[in-house]
Amino acid sequence: MATILFDKIVYGPVHSRRLGVSLGINLFPKDGKLCTFNCIYCECGYNEDHRTRTPLPKREEVKEQLTKKLDEMRAEGLVPDVITFAGNGEPTIHPDFAGIIEDTIAIRNEHCPSAKVAVLSNSTMLDKEEVFEALCKVDDNIMKLDSVLDSRIRQIDNPNKPGFCFDKLLKNLCRFNGKVIIQTMFLRGEKDGVKVDNTTEEEITGWLEALKAINPNQVMIYTIDRETPLKTLYKVSKEDLDAIAERARKIGFQVSVSY
């Protein structure tokens, strides 16, 4: 099975379907994955297939590597559109996440003030106050909401926190008071003989109601683009994604579609 594990703290820049020219930051070891979800569609593979005992990069290492890379890019006349925290797992579980965000904003302001700072997160750590406060400081805090049904969240995202559920997630997402971007992966297929489909009318209706409550400043919807650890999944068609997006636009949301 082909998987993507990032082998550097700072990687790229790469062209992102959703973000443009993105300089990535990976807060995890290059030889493994650490995440509070175990998504059936994750390009990094399943957690259990990529265990690591390698220490996490230290705050100072991240600071040094980011500064060095931005210096190199500036010498080449290159400027990223965005500095994106993603990589081999859930970035907000790094114990120094808040401090690293503080450093990154300061470095961005000095080296490339036009670039945004973004965090791609699965939303599981929003109940940790220092994480929430750090996310409120970045330009684009992009939070995952793959379903409004707990059964579907367990099926697709497989959270490792027993208490993680949609009601708590919705409450935490509403705390951003609209300064948040919602990202949703739509997909179809089968898992253990059970149908996988988070595009049912029940779920889309509930998803739209959740958007009304959260009132995000942007919505990003997308489907499978790379190989997935579960082989019985497939893309949602462009026509279906566009139809979902149009329903969200009709109630006032800015929606981008990546297919």
Side-chain angles (χ1 to χ4, degrees), residues 47-48 56 65 68 82 101 107 131 161 176-177 207 216 219 225 243 256:
N47 297 345
E48 58 269 23
L56 302 183
Q65 291 298 314
K68 179 182 177 183
V82 60
I101 289 295
I107 295 167
V131 168
K161 289 184 174 183
F176 286 109
N177 294 320
W207 179 76
V219 178
D225 185 51
S256 65

PDB file of all heavy atoms in Angstrom, residues 47-48 56 65 68 82 101 107 131 161 176-177 207 216 219 225 243 256:
ATOM      1  N   ASN A  47      -2.900   4.314  11.658  1.00  0.00           N
ATOM      2  CA  ASN A  47      -1.964   4.573  12.754  1.00  0.00           C
ATOM      3  C   ASN A  47      -1.137   3.336  13.110  1.00  0.00           C
ATOM      4  O   ASN A  47       0.079   3.423  13.311  1.00  0.00           O
ATOM      5  CB  ASN A  47      -2.721   5.033  14.000  1.00  0.00           C
ATOM      6  CG  ASN A  47      -3.461   6.336  13.808  1.00  0.00           C
ATOM      7  OD1 ASN A  47      -3.214   7.062  12.857  1.00  0.00           O
ATOM      8  ND2 ASN A  47      -4.383   6.637  14.714  1.00  0.00           N
ATOM      9  N   GLU A  48      -1.800   2.192  13.191  1.00  0.00           N
ATOM     10  CA  GLU A  48      -1.120   0.981  13.653  1.00  0.00           C
ATOM     11  C   GLU A  48      -0.054   0.479  12.671  1.00  0.00           C
ATOM     12  O   GLU A  48       0.816  -0.322  13.039  1.00  0.00           O
ATOM     13  CB  GLU A  48      -2.132  -0.138  13.920  1.00  0.00           C
ATOM     14  CG  GLU A  48      -2.994  -0.522  12.731  1.00  0.00           C
ATOM     15  CD  GLU A  48      -4.295   0.256  12.650  1.00  0.00           C
ATOM     16  OE1 GLU A  48      -4.376   1.365  13.214  1.00  0.00           O
ATOM     17  OE2 GLU A  48      -5.231  -0.263  12.008  1.00  0.00           O
ATOM     18  N   LEU A  56       9.297  13.653  19.133  1.00  0.00           N
ATOM     19  CA  LEU A  56       8.736  14.732  18.319  1.00  0.00           C
ATOM     20  C   LEU A  56       9.784  15.831  18.157  1.00  0.00           C
ATOM     21  O   LEU A  56      10.627  16.038  19.030  1.00  0.00           O
ATOM     22  CB  LEU A  56       7.496  15.321  18.998  1.00  0.00           C
ATOM     23  CG  LEU A  56       6.333  14.388  19.311  1.00  0.00           C
ATOM     24  CD1 LEU A  56       5.187  15.186  19.912  1.00  0.00           C
ATOM     25  CD2 LEU A  56       5.873  13.646  18.077  1.00  0.00           C
ATOM     26  N   GLN A  65      14.143  25.490  11.462  1.00  0.00           N
ATOM     27  CA  GLN A  65      13.908  24.953  10.128  1.00  0.00           C
ATOM     28  C   GLN A  65      13.007  25.866   9.296  1.00  0.00           C
ATOM     29  O   GLN A  65      13.220  26.044   8.088  1.00  0.00           O
ATOM     30  CB  GLN A  65      13.312  23.552  10.223  1.00  0.00           C
ATOM     31  CG  GLN A  65      14.268  22.500  10.746  1.00  0.00           C
ATOM     32  CD  GLN A  65      15.469  22.311   9.844  1.00  0.00           C
ATOM     33  OE1 GLN A  65      15.330  22.218   8.632  1.00  0.00           O
ATOM     34  NE2 GLN A  65      16.651  22.276  10.436  1.00  0.00           N
ATOM     35  N   LYS A  68      15.061  28.969   8.242  1.00  0.00           N
ATOM     36  CA  LYS A  68      16.013  28.593   7.198  1.00  0.00           C
ATOM     37  C   LYS A  68      15.321  28.434   5.853  1.00  0.00           C
ATOM     38  O   LYS A  68      15.799  28.942   4.821  1.00  0.00           O
ATOM     39  CB  LYS A  68      16.707  27.283   7.586  1.00  0.00           C
ATOM     40  CG  LYS A  68      17.700  26.780   6.551  1.00  0.00           C
ATOM     41  CD  LYS A  68      18.315  25.451   6.997  1.00  0.00           C
ATOM     42  CE  LYS A  68      19.262  24.910   5.929  1.00  0.00           C
ATOM     43  NZ  LYS A  68      19.819  23.582   6.318  1.00  0.00           N
ATOM     44  N   VAL A  82       0.717  30.320   1.840  1.00  0.00           N
ATOM     45  CA  VAL A  82       0.303  29.898   3.178  1.00  0.00           C
ATOM     46  C   VAL A  82       1.361  28.986   3.791  1.00  0.00           C
ATOM     47  O   VAL A  82       2.039  28.246   3.083  1.00  0.00           O
ATOM     48  CB  VAL A  82      -1.067  29.175   3.098  1.00  0.00           C
ATOM     49  CG1 VAL A  82      -0.996  27.943   2.224  1.00  0.00           C
ATOM     50  CG2 VAL A  82      -1.596  28.813   4.480  1.00  0.00           C
ATOM     51  N   ILE A 101       3.009  27.894  17.331  1.00  0.00           N
ATOM     52  CA  ILE A 101       2.160  28.836  16.588  1.00  0.00           C
ATOM     53  C   ILE A 101       2.636  30.266  16.829  1.00  0.00           C
ATOM     54  O   ILE A 101       2.738  31.074  15.889  1.00  0.00           O
ATOM     55  CB  ILE A 101       0.688  28.673  16.998  1.00  0.00           C
ATOM     56  CG1 ILE A 101       0.119  27.357  16.464  1.00  0.00           C
ATOM     57  CG2 ILE A 101      -0.151  29.857  16.513  1.00  0.00           C
ATOM     58  CD1 ILE A 101       0.030  27.263  14.961  1.00  0.00           C
ATOM     59  N   ILE A 107       7.709  34.666  12.845  1.00  0.00           N
ATOM     60  CA  ILE A 107       8.591  34.428  11.698  1.00  0.00           C
ATOM     61  C   ILE A 107       7.899  34.847  10.405  1.00  0.00           C
ATOM     62  O   ILE A 107       8.515  35.489   9.538  1.00  0.00           O
ATOM     63  CB  ILE A 107       9.005  32.945  11.641  1.00  0.00           C
ATOM     64  CG1 ILE A 107       9.862  32.586  12.853  1.00  0.00           C
ATOM     65  CG2 ILE A 107       9.764  32.641  10.351  1.00  0.00           C
ATOM     66  CD1 ILE A 107      10.058  31.096  13.046  1.00  0.00           C
ATOM     67  N   VAL A 131      -4.840  25.067  23.146  1.00  0.00           N
ATOM     68  CA  VAL A 131      -4.940  24.738  21.719  1.00  0.00           C
ATOM     69  C   VAL A 131      -5.978  25.630  21.052  1.00  0.00           C
ATOM     70  O   VAL A 131      -5.735  26.203  19.975  1.00  0.00           O
ATOM     71  CB  VAL A 131      -5.306  23.253  21.523  1.00  0.00           C
ATOM     72  CG1 VAL A 131      -5.695  22.972  20.067  1.00  0.00           C
ATOM     73  CG2 VAL A 131      -4.149  22.359  21.945  1.00  0.00           C
ATOM     74  N   LYS A 161     -10.662   8.870  21.085  1.00  0.00           N
ATOM     75  CA  LYS A 161     -11.253   9.359  22.328  1.00  0.00           C
ATOM     76  C   LYS A 161     -12.681   8.813  22.440  1.00  0.00           C
ATOM     77  O   LYS A 161     -13.544   9.168  21.639  1.00  0.00           O
ATOM     78  CB  LYS A 161     -11.299  10.889  22.345  1.00  0.00           C
ATOM     79  CG  LYS A 161      -9.958  11.571  22.496  1.00  0.00           C
ATOM     80  CD  LYS A 161     -10.151  13.079  22.602  1.00  0.00           C
ATOM     81  CE  LYS A 161      -8.860  13.785  22.908  1.00  0.00           C
ATOM     82  NZ  LYS A 161      -9.069  15.255  23.074  1.00  0.00           N
ATOM     83  N   PHE A 176     -15.766  29.355  18.053  1.00  0.00           N
ATOM     84  CA  PHE A 176     -14.956  30.230  17.203  1.00  0.00           C
ATOM     85  C   PHE A 176     -15.722  31.477  16.755  1.00  0.00           C
ATOM     86  O   PHE A 176     -15.125  32.388  16.182  1.00  0.00           O
ATOM     87  CB  PHE A 176     -14.472  29.467  15.971  1.00  0.00           C
ATOM     88  CG  PHE A 176     -13.369  28.485  16.239  1.00  0.00           C
ATOM     89  CD1 PHE A 176     -13.605  27.121  16.186  1.00  0.00           C
ATOM     90  CD2 PHE A 176     -12.087  28.920  16.546  1.00  0.00           C
ATOM     91  CE1 PHE A 176     -12.590  26.203  16.415  1.00  0.00           C
ATOM     92  CE2 PHE A 176     -11.057  28.013  16.782  1.00  0.00           C
ATOM     93  CZ  PHE A 176     -11.310  26.652  16.721  1.00  0.00           C
ATOM     94  N   ASN A 177     -17.025  31.490  17.002  1.00  0.00           N
ATOM     95  CA  ASN A 177     -17.852  32.645  16.606  1.00  0.00           C
ATOM     96  C   ASN A 177     -17.679  33.002  15.130  1.00  0.00           C
ATOM     97  O   ASN A 177     -17.585  34.177  14.760  1.00  0.00           O
ATOM     98  CB  ASN A 177     -17.531  33.856  17.487  1.00  0.00           C
ATOM     99  CG  ASN A 177     -17.921  33.644  18.935  1.00  0.00           C
ATOM    100  OD1 ASN A 177     -18.970  33.068  19.226  1.00  0.00           O
ATOM    101  ND2 ASN A 177     -17.073  34.081  19.850  1.00  0.00           N
ATOM    102  N   TRP A 207     -25.760  18.326   8.138  1.00  0.00           N
ATOM    103  CA  TRP A 207     -24.527  19.084   7.913  1.00  0.00           C
ATOM    104  C   TRP A 207     -24.836  20.557   7.642  1.00  0.00           C
ATOM    105  O   TRP A 207     -24.184  21.449   8.189  1.00  0.00           O
ATOM    106  CB  TRP A 207     -23.783  18.446   6.751  1.00  0.00           C
ATOM    107  CG  TRP A 207     -22.496  19.069   6.335  1.00  0.00           C
ATOM    108  CD1 TRP A 207     -21.291  18.983   6.963  1.00  0.00           C
ATOM    109  CD2 TRP A 207     -22.271  19.851   5.158  1.00  0.00           C
ATOM    110  NE1 TRP A 207     -20.323  19.668   6.246  1.00  0.00           N
ATOM    111  CE2 TRP A 207     -20.901  20.198   5.129  1.00  0.00           C
ATOM    112  CE3 TRP A 207     -23.098  20.279   4.111  1.00  0.00           C
ATOM    113  CZ2 TRP A 207     -20.334  20.962   4.107  1.00  0.00           C
ATOM    114  CZ3 TRP A 207     -22.545  21.027   3.088  1.00  0.00           C
ATOM    115  CH2 TRP A 207     -21.185  21.381   3.096  1.00  0.00           C
ATOM    116  N   PRO A 216     -19.385  29.361   9.729  1.00  0.00           N
ATOM    117  CA  PRO A 216     -17.980  29.517   9.341  1.00  0.00           C
ATOM    118  C   PRO A 216     -17.805  30.575   8.260  1.00  0.00           C
ATOM    119  O   PRO A 216     -18.726  30.831   7.473  1.00  0.00           O
ATOM    120  CB  PRO A 216     -17.622  28.128   8.809  1.00  0.00           C
ATOM    121  CG  PRO A 216     -18.923  27.589   8.288  1.00  0.00           C
ATOM    122  CD  PRO A 216     -19.955  28.094   9.256  1.00  0.00           C
ATOM    123  N   VAL A 219     -16.287  27.266   3.749  1.00  0.00           N
ATOM    124  CA  VAL A 219     -16.491  25.823   3.798  1.00  0.00           C
ATOM    125  C   VAL A 219     -15.678  25.195   2.665  1.00  0.00           C
ATOM    126  O   VAL A 219     -15.710  25.680   1.526  1.00  0.00           O
ATOM    127  CB  VAL A 219     -17.981  25.455   3.637  1.00  0.00           C
ATOM    128  CG1 VAL A 219     -18.172  23.935   3.648  1.00  0.00           C
ATOM    129  CG2 VAL A 219     -18.815  26.112   4.732  1.00  0.00           C
ATOM    130  N   ASP A 225      -8.499  11.910  -3.202  1.00  0.00           N
ATOM    131  CA  ASP A 225      -7.588  12.319  -4.264  1.00  0.00           C
ATOM    132  C   ASP A 225      -6.400  11.376  -4.378  1.00  0.00           C
ATOM    133  O   ASP A 225      -5.783  11.292  -5.429  1.00  0.00           O
ATOM    134  CB  ASP A 225      -7.108  13.753  -4.006  1.00  0.00           C
ATOM    135  CG  ASP A 225      -6.240  14.297  -5.126  1.00  0.00           C
ATOM    136  OD1 ASP A 225      -6.661  14.209  -6.290  1.00  0.00           O
ATOM    137  OD2 ASP A 225      -5.137  14.803  -4.842  1.00  0.00           O
ATOM    138  N   ALA A 243     -23.431  19.822  -6.301  1.00  0.00           N
ATOM    139  CA  ALA A 243     -24.805  19.947  -5.814  1.00  0.00           C
ATOM    140  C   ALA A 243     -24.832  20.216  -4.309  1.00  0.00           C
ATOM    141  O   ALA A 243     -25.632  21.034  -3.822  1.00  0.00           O
ATOM    142  CB  ALA A 243     -25.592  18.670  -6.145  1.00  0.00           C
ATOM    143  N   SER A 256     -15.740  26.206  -1.345  1.00  0.00           N
ATOM    144  CA  SER A 256     -14.813  25.761  -2.383  1.00  0.00           C
ATOM    145  C   SER A 256     -14.929  24.251  -2.525  1.00  0.00           C
ATOM    146  O   SER A 256     -15.151  23.530  -1.542  1.00  0.00           O
ATOM    147  CB  SER A 256     -13.372  26.159  -2.034  1.00  0.00           C
ATOM    148  OG  SER A 256     -12.926  25.490  -0.862  1.00  0.00           O
TER     149      SER A 256
END
